Amino acid sequence: LTFSRRAALTGAAFGVTALPGTMPVFAAQDPKDLSRLSKGLADINYLLDNWTKETTNPGTGAMDPDRVRLFLGLRTTTSPLFQVEKVLVAAQNKVDPDNFEKWIEAVEDWNSHLNKVNELAYTSSFGEYNPGGGKDQIAKYLDLAKAEVVLARDALSNLITLLEL
């Protein structure tokens, strides 16, 4: 067995380790379908363009921060961004070797912002129930989540550019 620098960097960037004799587990979606990235970007742009509508529960009129996680593939297997890290691993071989360091940085940016969105939206969901909480706390964390969604969108756009899609 030999490992390339590319494989080592990718494994480190994605927190992936490979054990001999193990088989990867794939979601229902094709991890090699790069169109999922563009579809996911369109979903994020839709969310940002319709933020108030999409983060409000239509039945109760209450803020619904968990919907943010839905658009970023963190709540349902049908989202194009569900387990997108598998798509990014599969896509790495399509990156120009001269841009591979930029690719690693862009993947790290995406992962960082996605994790922050997840954390903020989740925290916002419970803002009303925490001591000193209330609807203003939900709105505060929802606004912070929106700022991270913008950064996540920009990181995803950068990944798509590096893939020349």
Side-chain angles (χ1 to χ4, degrees):
L1 271 176
T2 60
F3 291 98
S4 69
R5 179 173 178 266
R6 180 179 285 240
L9 283 172
T10 300
F14 292 106
V16 174
T17 58
L19 299 173
T22 61
M23 295 296 293
V25 177
F26 294 103
Q29 297 188 52
D30 183 2
K32 295 180 182 173
D33 180 4
L34 298 183
S35 71
R36 288 174 54 192
L37 299 175
S38 297
K39 291 174 188 171
L41 181 60
D43 283 354
I44 292 172
N45 282 325
Y46 175 82
L47 171 64
L48 289 169
D49 291 343
N50 299 281
W51 185 261
T52 302
K53 175 185 171 209
E54 291 302 327
T55 58
T56 302
N57 183 313
T60 65
M63 289 177 276
D64 189 0
D66 205 41
R67 300 228 351 116
V68 175
R69 297 171 67 225
L70 182 74
F71 280 88
L72 277 93
L74 300 167
R75 294 284 301 162
T76 177
T77 60
T78 58
S79 169
L81 295 177
F82 177 71
Q83 295 185 344
V84 73
E85 65 277 0
K86 293 177 181 181
V87 176
L88 299 177
V89 169
Q92 71 179 345
N93 293 326
K94 299 185 182 329
V95 177
D96 181 337
D98 293 337
N99 289 329
F100 196 69
E101 294 297 326
K102 290 179 185 175
W103 170 259
I104 294 295
E105 188 175 315
V107 168
E108 289 172 351
D109 284 348
W110 163 256
N111 287 334
S112 174
H113 296 302
L114 183 65
N115 289 332
K116 194 67 176 175
V117 168
N118 193 25
E119 174 188 328
L120 290 167
Y122 184 81
T123 301
S124 181
S125 295
F126 297 99
E128 193 169 6
Y129 307 108
N130 292 329
K135 293 187 185 328
D136 55 335
Q137 287 297 330
I138 296 172
K140 172 186 167 186
Y141 283 102
L142 198 52
D143 287 344
L144 291 170
K146 183 178 183 181
E148 284 296 324
V149 171
V150 170
L151 295 172
R153 178 206 50 204
D154 295 346
L156 183 57
S157 181
N158 190 22
L159 290 167
I160 290 169
T161 298
L162 288 167
L163 287 170
E164 300 177 1
L165 297 179

